[in-house]
Every structure is written in C-alpha cells, then in structure tokens.
Amino acid sequence: MLAQEITHGIKKPNEGDNVVIKLDITKAYDRVSWPYTCLVLRRMGLGEMFIDLVWRTVSNNWYSVIINGVRHGFFYSTKGLKQGDPLSPSLFILGADILSRMLNMLHHHQRYKNYQMEIREPQINHLSFADDIIIFSSTTRDTLLMILKTLSTYESVSD
C-alpha cells in the first residue's frame, strides 16, 4: 500500500523522471551463504559462542533423494537456510539488512538523485518485505549505475 502511495504521482511532469525497480530474490533462503551469515552476526557484535551455535545449526544439512520409495544416498548442502526452521527468518532478515543499509548509503553520494516526491513527504529510496525489494530512484544514468553496482557488490559479498 505504501508503494502505491509513493508511485501514485510517478507520471506527474513536475515531479521529475522516476523509476521503480522491483527485485524478487528468487530462492532466497536456498542461496544464503553460511560464512556471510556468521560475518554479519560477528559485525553486529554477537558473541562467538552464539555464532558457533548458529553455524552448527545451519551447516548441518544432509539430504537424500527418494525415487519410487527408494532412498538414493545422502548429499551435503553447502549453503542455504532450512525452510521451517524458526531461526531462518531472523538470519535471512539480518543478512538482507546489509543490502538495505547499502541502498541507504547511496543518499550520501553527490551524483545520486532521489526519486522525486512531493517536498512534504519523507524521501524513501527502497522498501523491503520478505524476499521482495522495491527500489525508488530517478532515471539519471549515474544513479542507476550506482544502484546496479550496489546490487552487484551485495551479490558478491553475500554469496
């Protein structure tokens, strides 16, 4: 609903050239890097005993494929969060918070141009919900390149 309110005036000529970018992080839980998760927890100042406990919980993933009722060996997973694990949503949100912070840092660059909204409204550059992110931006080349670079950087550090 907030996204609708923000984009309501996108076609108004006096508001400037705007763009809305919607990201759907496909298979987000399956792609979470365990070392990245531990690094985020460490940077947040959590203790090593807790981080070790989280590591042992998330990294103990063995799977088996059953074909026609017959189990065909086991294989080990090297990343991802377990669906249904009560700890997984919190770990995912903590990791995604880094992307949110990176997007917020764009406002400090002189060449970054905000999504043009009415002056009386707070300036919002993105919204996040679960594994969906909506980025609000101007259409200037420099701004769009900064957003792409931010997304690329996040992808490389979190993988």
Side-chain angles (χ1 to χ4, degrees):
M1 192 158 161
L2 181 58
Q4 286 178 325
E5 287 293 322
I6 293 170
T7 59
H8 177 71
I10 196 168
K11 293 184 180 179
K12 292 181 182 175
N14 61 342
E15 299 296 329
D17 294 330
N18 293 320
V19 65
V20 177
I21 304 166
K22 182 184 180 297
L23 304 175
D24 183 8
I25 306 173
T26 58
K27 307 264 186 204
Y29 269 43
D30 298 338
R31 302 181 80 115
V32 173
S33 163
W34 301 333
Y36 170 74
T37 300
C38 290
L39 178 64
V40 169
L41 295 175
R42 197 167 283 116
R43 290 275 173 105
M44 295 184 76
L46 295 169
E48 288 301 317
M49 285 179 57
F50 178 77
I51 294 170
D52 183 57
L53 181 64
V54 169
W55 176 264
R56 290 172 190 245
T57 302
V58 299
S59 67
N60 189 16
N61 291 337
W62 289 89
Y63 299 98
S64 179
V65 178
I66 298 175
I67 302 173
N68 295 328
V70 178
R71 191 174 294 175
H72 292 276
F74 286 89
F75 63 94
Y76 179 71
S77 177
T78 58
K79 62 180 168 180
L81 299 173
K82 298 174 190 172
Q83 295 287 338
D85 184 338
L87 187 59
S88 293
S90 297
L91 294 175
F92 179 77
I93 289 169
L94 291 174
D97 183 60
I98 302 301
L99 176 58
S100 183
R101 290 172 187 245
M102 291 171 73
L103 290 170
N104 285 336
M105 294 284 291
L106 292 176
H107 285 284
H108 300 294
H109 291 282
Q110 287 181 331
R111 294 184 327 224
Y112 184 82
K113 302 294 182 205
N114 291 330
Y115 182 94
Q116 299 299 308
M117 297 190 301
E118 293 183 28
I119 301 299
R120 67 178 188 267
E121 295 177 356
Q123 297 298 306
I124 297 173
N125 76 338
H126 73 283
L127 297 173
S128 299
F129 180 76
D131 60 352
D132 291 327
I133 299 171
I134 301 173
I135 301 172
F136 303 98
S137 167
S138 75
T139 58
T140 65
R141 179 176 171 79
D142 285 345
T143 298
L144 294 174
L145 287 174
M146 281 189 263
I147 290 170
L148 287 175
K149 183 178 180 192
T150 300
L151 294 174
S152 178
T153 301
Y154 176 73
E155 179 185 19
S156 65
V157 299
S158 66
D159 191 25

